[in-house]
Amino acid sequence: MISLPRRLAAPEPGWTTETDVVIVGSGIAGLTTALHIARHSQLRITLVTKDILAAGSTPWAQGGIAAALGAGDSPEEHFTDTIVAGAGVCDEAAVRVLVREGPAAVRELAQIGARFDRAGDGSLSLTREGGHHRDRIAHAGGDATGAEVERALVTRVLDATDVEVIEHALVLDLLTTPAGEVAGLTLHVMGEGARDGVGAVHARAVVLATGGIGQVYASSTNPSVSTGDGVAAALRAGAVVRDLEFVQFHPTVTWLGARSRGQQPLVSEAVRGEGAFLVDDSGTRFMQGVHELADLAPRDVVAKAIVRRMRERDEENMWLDARAFGEEKWRVRFPTILASLRGHGIDPVRELIPVVPACHFASGGVRTDLSGETSLPGLFACGETACTGVHGANRLASNSLLEGLVFGHRIADAIVRRLGDPQAPPVPGAPVATGPLLDDALRPRLQQLMSEHVGVLREAKGLAAAAEGLADLVAAADGQADLVAAADGPSAPSAAPAPATENWEATNLLTVASALVLAAQRREETRGSHWREDFPDRDDNAWRGHLNITLDESGSPLSTFERDFSGPITPLKGGKR
Ligand SMILES: Cc1cc2nc3c(=O)[nH]c(=O)nc-3n(C[C@H](O)[C@H](O)[C@H](O)COP(=O)(O)OP(=O)(O)OC[C@H]3O[C@@H](n4cnc5c(N)ncnc54)[C@H](O)[C@@H]3O)c2cc1C
């Protein structure tokens, strides 16, 4: 049994401040929550973010936001597509909330200033992506939806007088009362003056909106800030984390060679939505006959088909053919992707685009209810950090921006209702002991283990190798093995890693990876984005439910299976399929 830290090693807080609500993260989830609390209450809001405001995944989103906004579309049809993509483990009540409240939330986003692309008659211009049976993806700037949404929300939040924004503030751990309620957090601010270094924010509610976990893998579409800090902090504080094994690998990430590491350029599904298709090295369209939606099948289906074909043909990548668009369509509809591809020496107007699947989205996260509250009173989670249950085993394209938007509103409503007027926050209890940090020099080793053994294809032997490799990293953090010296050749034993940003992040990655591998080992079936080669079938009798992960007192990850599906999938009233 491995032992992960229950608190990150860090200097004791040198300063303390008080607020009503502290929100961690400045993507669509954090900004929406902050804005709506500010609009509907007098509560004091502190929004902290570890880099500049626009550093998360949100500004990278290309395709758009899904909602039943088009003529002839309905929340019922969006519900059915979401449930089908989720492969039997979506929380149906959460999906109902998403699809019913989605259209109004997107319209409101447009009202507060997000400039979505529009048709000649002024109506929203809608496109289609994998798994959707309707054109229902609203987009902006062609393929720059996330950047426009982030711009609009940041502008409004900076205008809101009750929101204090602290950039370059890395949240470390949650604070709790002796009764187990959340009472604030500790953070490290790279600032100047009174708020520099490690401090504490005492608060009556905390919202974790720290985004995804993509940096757990060697290559991902996620930016460098996506190190799973919120999931790791929630685990350390005792919260339940759910569905972590369901990591979505985006099928069409630009292949830049076997040595390329870190954030990789995405080619949005909307490119296939507009008519591009996949071919192998012989020019064969291999998605035809695999699924009724062919190149627009749900992401797990396309990613698996690509990996299968790569194996059959012994190739390192497959190809996307979008040459039929011509220069003009590429320039108007996908200017960002065009610039990115040309920047890497690929001209999609004349050439095939080399693609492979890469880690893209965490369907699981910190378990929440329909108000976004976690298993710890006063702790909320929103956006990619949360597991609301809307994605099940596989997220439907463009449902994640929508999730941050819809549940950001709900969390704001719950907090405003619960907290009422500004008041003094509770006093945190004595903190638990700290644990050792992982040296950031070992991050590439962790990422390599995860990419090699816990990627699109998984099986018991590889998962055991990953678990063993992670246990070695835990031992290295404990000082029982010197893997850094071993990696660099003979040298003197290295000192314990300093409490610093990169080592805190590496330790968070180790915590998240350990929980993810445990869940992937336990789920002995193939479902959605979790593909076990040794258990190739979906097994509803044994596995239709969720794997919950917690850390015990000593920091060992524990898994519990929660079966909560007894009947068939129920369509929304009036559902057509
Ligand atoms: C390339 C790409 C394309 C995508 N395209 C689409 C799309 O078209 N449609 C769609 O619906 N989804 C898309 N997604 C997914 C979607 O963008 C994300 O799921 C969504 O933006 C997540 O929003 P968020 O607010 O939860 O997190 P993020 O936007 O990632 O924000 C997280 C925030 O938390 C901060 N943070 C992290 N850790 C800490 C810490 N310890 N302390 C303080 N702050 C911290 C970060 O700096 C950041 O500000 C895409 C993702 C990527 C990467």
Side-chain angles (χ1 to χ4, degrees), residues 25-26 28-29 49-50 57-58 61 63-64 169 171 211 229 384 395 398 400-401:
S26 53
I28 192 168
T49 192
K50 76 174 169 185
S57 286
T58 299
V171 167
D229 298 0
E384 198 167 334
R395 172 185 70 125
S398 286
S400 41
L401 289 177

Side-chain angles (χ1 to χ4, degrees), residues 197-273:
V198 174
V201 179
H202 293 178
R204 297 160 69 204
V206 175
V207 183
L208 293 174
T210 54
I213 63 165
Q215 295 302 321
V216 156
Y217 288 90
S219 66
S220 166
T221 60
N222 292 190
S224 60
V225 292
S226 305
T227 48
D229 298 0
V231 172
L235 275 167
R236 285 193 294 271
V240 175
V241 165
R242 167 178 276 196
D243 290 351
L244 272 193
E245 67 276 29
F246 298 123
V247 178
Q248 184 171 76
F249 288 77
H250 197 291
T252 54
V253 177
T254 314
W255 168 245
L256 299 177
R259 297 218 178 135
S260 191
R261 291 279 179 276
Q263 189 179 17
Q264 307 292 306
L266 178 71
V267 182
S268 166
E269 206 144 14
V271 173
R272 276 173 286 135

Side-chain angles (χ1 to χ4, degrees), residues 286-368:
F286 57 89
M287 283 310 299
Q288 287 177 333
V290 171
H291 190 276
E292 49 139 350
L293 291 170
D295 293 273
L296 283 176
R299 285 184 181 171
D300 60 312
V301 176
V302 183
K304 285 172 195 173
I306 290 178
V307 173
R308 278 201 184 107
R309 201 64 164 193
M310 282 163 51
R311 282 178 163 190
E312 282 163 20
R313 310 275 315 169
D314 196 20
E315 290 290 329
E316 287 184 313
N317 64 281
M318 289 287 115
W319 303 91
L320 188 63
D321 190 343
R323 291 174 294 181
F325 289 3
E327 175 91 25
E328 178 66 5
K329 178 155 179 171
W330 265 110
R331 254 191 331 98
V332 174
R333 183 66 184 84
F334 300 112
T336 316
I337 301 172
L338 178 65
S340 156
L341 288 170
R342 285 189 168 157
H344 287 101
I346 303 159
D347 184 359
V349 179
R350 283 169 201 88
E351 295 172 84
L352 298 179
I353 307 164
V355 290
V356 278
C359 166
H360 184 55
F361 182 80
S363 295
V366 188
R367 191 190 76 189
T368 68

Side-chain angles (χ1 to χ4, degrees), residues 529-545:
S529 53
H530 176 66
W531 186 10
R532 287 284 301 249
E533 290 189 281
D534 44 354
F535 296 96
D537 299 319
R538 174 167 149 179
D539 181 354
D540 279 347
N541 285 334
W543 289 109
R544 190 146 180 231

Side-chain angles (χ1 to χ4, degrees), residues 399-478:
N399 266 357
S400 41
L401 289 177
L402 187 70
E403 182 191 30
L405 202 56
V406 166
F407 285 88
H409 280 86
R410 291 196 143 233
I411 290 172
D413 289 347
I415 287 177
V416 170
R417 247 189 341 261
R418 175 99 53 92
L419 301 193
D421 295 321
Q423 271 178 34
V427 178
V432 298
T434 61
L437 297 176
L438 181 68
D439 194 319
D440 190 53
L442 295 171
R443 188 193 293 220
R445 190 172 176 139
L446 180 153
Q447 293 169 323
Q448 193 51 40
L449 277 172
M450 295 299 288
S451 285
E452 204 173 320
H453 301 300
V454 203
V456 179
L457 306 177
R458 301 167 178 180
E459 42 81 36
K461 210 166 136 209
L463 291 170
E468 210 175 298
L470 294 177
D472 289 345
L473 294 178
V474 173
D478 276 345

